[in-house]
């Protein structure tokens, strides 16, 4: 199991403070949605949590497998070793590699047969295009590969950055089904969402509301929808 947290984190990009005093905690065994408008800082928050971006101030800590990592001074792959999978915004799969080759690159060699079988039970459609190159896949198929790639090391937490963005309703449904299946198999989920929270209901039970780089809500997911400050700042209601 793994737990990650940020404490009073500030991140500056090009002279602009994109995260301003963010404190969040992702406890082991629990799932979370980070909800905020476009440009609120969701991707920056995830990238900082994963150790890809370094904050100008604050603490980022990961605990798991008997280790404590200071993610402000640890390369991101160490977090992957602790059991954290990542599905970046925009999917970022290799276009000239097949689906299987994309998984192998992430694993660092042939993916064990039982892991591949487990992935097929979660993403049954993957089987259909496992030997197709990324460049010949639809956006939905690429997203399925991106989710599969985050599962190859059997993580205990998977972090997904707007995995439903720009997908047709049918594909949204199959990704959501897969996420419910992943959760049911004991993997925790941290997901960002810029639209309505109804899509992530059943995926995350906890939420953080993010606006202009500040956490404006922390609590259960349904409470976010009722919170006056969140309603005003996230949805303009
Ligand atoms: N590399 C960068 N260079 C310049 N500005 C950046 C960069 N990355 C992020 N920003 C700025 O930081 C702010 C937060 O960006 P971020 O991508 O974290 O938001 P987001 O909530 O993920 O948005 P979206 O919903 O569009 O993905 C935005 O105002 C964005 O313009
Ligand atoms: Mg983003």
């Amino acid at each position: 199991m793994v737990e990650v947290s940020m404490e009073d984190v500030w991140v500056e990009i090009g002279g602009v403070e994109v995260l301003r005093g963010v404190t969040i905690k992702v406890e082991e065994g629990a799932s979370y949605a980070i909800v905020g408008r476009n440009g609120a800082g969701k991707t920056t928050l995830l990238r900082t949590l994963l150790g890809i971006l370094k904050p100008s101030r604050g603490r980022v800590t990961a605990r798991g497998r008997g280790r404590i990592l200071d993610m402000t001074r640890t390369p991101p792959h160490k977090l992957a070793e602790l059991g954290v999978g990542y599905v970046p915004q925009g999917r970022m799969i290799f276009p000239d590699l097949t689906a299987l080759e994309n998984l192998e690159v992430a694993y660092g060699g042939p993916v064990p047969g039982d892991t591949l079988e487990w992935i097929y039970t979660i993403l049954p459609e993957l089987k259909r295009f496992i030997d197709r190159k990324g460049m010949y896949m639809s956006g939905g198929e690429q997203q399925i590969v991106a989710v599969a790639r985050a599962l190859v090391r059997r993580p205990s937490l998977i972090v997904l950055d707007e995995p439903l963005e720009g997908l047709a309703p049918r594909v949204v449904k199959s990704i959501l089904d897969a996420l419910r299946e992943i959760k049911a198999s004991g993997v925790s989920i941290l997901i960002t969402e810029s639209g309505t929270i109804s899509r992530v209901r059943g995926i995350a039970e906890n939420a953080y509301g993010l606006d202009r780089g500040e956490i404006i809500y922390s609590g259960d997911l349904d409470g976010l929808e009722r919170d006056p400050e969140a309603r005003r700042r996230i949805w303009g209601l």
Side-chain angles (χ1 to χ4, degrees), residues 84-87 145-155 157-159:
V84 180
Y86 179 39
V87 181
V145 175
V147 174
R149 181 183 53 195
L151 296 175
V152 290
R153 288 157 171 253
R154 302 263 188 164
L157 168 69
I158 130 165
V159 176

Side-chain angles (χ1 to χ4, degrees), residues 10 27 31-32 35 55-56 74-75 81 86-88 97 100 102-103 112 131 138 150 152 169 181 185 198 200 228:
W10 294 70
E27 294 194 45
S31 291
Y32 299 79
V35 184
S56 49
T74 307
E81 287 168 15
Y86 179 39
V87 181
L97 297 185
L100 184 62
N102 269 278
L103 305 190
D131 292 318
S138 67
V152 290
E181 195 68 34
S185 75
S198 59
V200 293

Side-chain angles (χ1 to χ4, degrees), residues 13-14 16-19 36-47 53 89 161-162 165 192-194 210 213:
I13 298 175
V16 178
E17 267 155 355
V18 175
L19 293 187
R37 293 195 285 199
N38 293 117
K42 302 179 297 296
T43 299
T44 305
L45 190 159
L46 294 188
R47 288 168 62 84
L53 286 174
Q89 188 167 19
D161 198 357
E162 293 196 59
E165 196 183 22
T192 63
E193 172 65 57
S194 61
L210 184 70

Side-chain angles (χ1 to χ4, degrees), residues 5-58:
S5 62
M6 289 171 99
E7 221 182 299
D8 192 24
V9 163
W10 294 70
V11 172
E12 200 184 292
I13 298 175
V16 178
E17 267 155 355
V18 175
L19 293 187
R20 301 186 290 156
V22 168
T23 296
I24 67 162
K25 192 167 184 182
V26 176
E27 294 194 45
E28 64 173 55
S31 291
Y32 299 79
I34 294 172
V35 184
R37 293 195 285 199
N38 293 117
K42 302 179 297 296
T43 299
T44 305
L45 190 159
L46 294 188
R47 288 168 62 84
T48 307
L49 199 65
L50 296 165
I52 302 166
L53 286 174
K54 303 301 176 191
S56 49
R57 220 171 89 197

Side-chain angles (χ1 to χ4, degrees), residues 4-233:
V4 286
S5 62
M6 289 171 99
E7 221 182 299
D8 192 24
V9 163
W10 294 70
V11 172
E12 200 184 292
I13 298 175
V16 178
E17 267 155 355
V18 175
L19 293 187
R20 301 186 290 156
V22 168
T23 296
I24 67 162
K25 192 167 184 182
V26 176
E27 294 194 45
E28 64 173 55
S31 291
Y32 299 79
I34 294 172
V35 184
R37 293 195 285 199
N38 293 117
K42 302 179 297 296
T43 299
T44 305
L45 190 159
L46 294 188
R47 288 168 62 84
T48 307
L49 199 65
L50 296 165
I52 302 166
L53 286 174
K54 303 301 176 191
S56 49
R57 220 171 89 197
R59 277 201 290 264
V60 184
T61 312
R63 291 187 177 79
R65 299 187 180 165
R67 281 185 284 169
I68 298 179
L69 302 181
D70 171 359
M71 293 313 300
T72 66
R73 43 183 69 222
T74 307
H77 69 87
K78 294 281 179 200
L79 193 57
E81 287 168 15
L82 229 58
V84 180
Y86 179 39
V87 181
Q89 188 167 19
R91 316 184 261 270
M92 309 293 176
I93 69 165
F94 291 114
D96 51 352
L97 297 185
T98 66
L100 184 62
E101 287 164 347
N102 269 278
L103 305 190
E104 289 171 345
V105 167
Y107 186 77
V111 180
D114 58 338
T115 295
L116 201 56
E117 284 309 316
W118 173 66
I119 291 173
Y120 284 146
T121 64
I122 288 165
L123 299 160
E125 292 152 80
L126 176 63
K127 232 176 194 160
R128 193 165 43 76
F129 52 87
I130 190 72
D131 292 318
R132 195 183 305 165
K133 285 190 178 182
M135 66 177 99
Y136 301 119
M137 290 177 200
S138 67
E141 289 165 346
Q142 289 179 27
Q143 190 61 268
I144 288 169
V145 175
V147 174
R149 181 183 53 195
L151 296 175
V152 290
R153 288 157 171 253
R154 302 263 188 164
S156 49
L157 168 69
I158 130 165
V159 176
L160 305 107
D161 198 357
E162 293 196 59
L164 310 174
E165 196 183 22
L167 298 182
R170 187 189 58 81
V171 190
V172 166
K173 187 184 172 300
S174 71
I175 297 290
L176 288 176
D177 286 346
L179 294 180
R180 274 188 282 270
E181 195 68 34
I182 288 168
K183 193 164 183 243
S185 75
V187 179
S188 299
I189 290 174
L190 173 60
I191 185 170
T192 63
E193 172 65 57
S194 61
T196 140
I197 64 163
S198 59
R199 306 203 296 184
V200 293
R201 213 170 256 128
I203 306 290
E205 61 281 356
N206 305 294
Y208 286 106
L210 184 70
D211 185 52
R212 296 178 190 218
E214 288 174 353
I215 296 293
I216 57 156
Y217 175 86
S218 106
D220 57 56
L221 183 73
D222 288 320
L224 176 68
E225 219 171 31
R226 290 192 298 267
D227 184 76
E229 173 97 341
R231 287 168 67 85
R232 185 171 59 80
R233 291 179 65 169

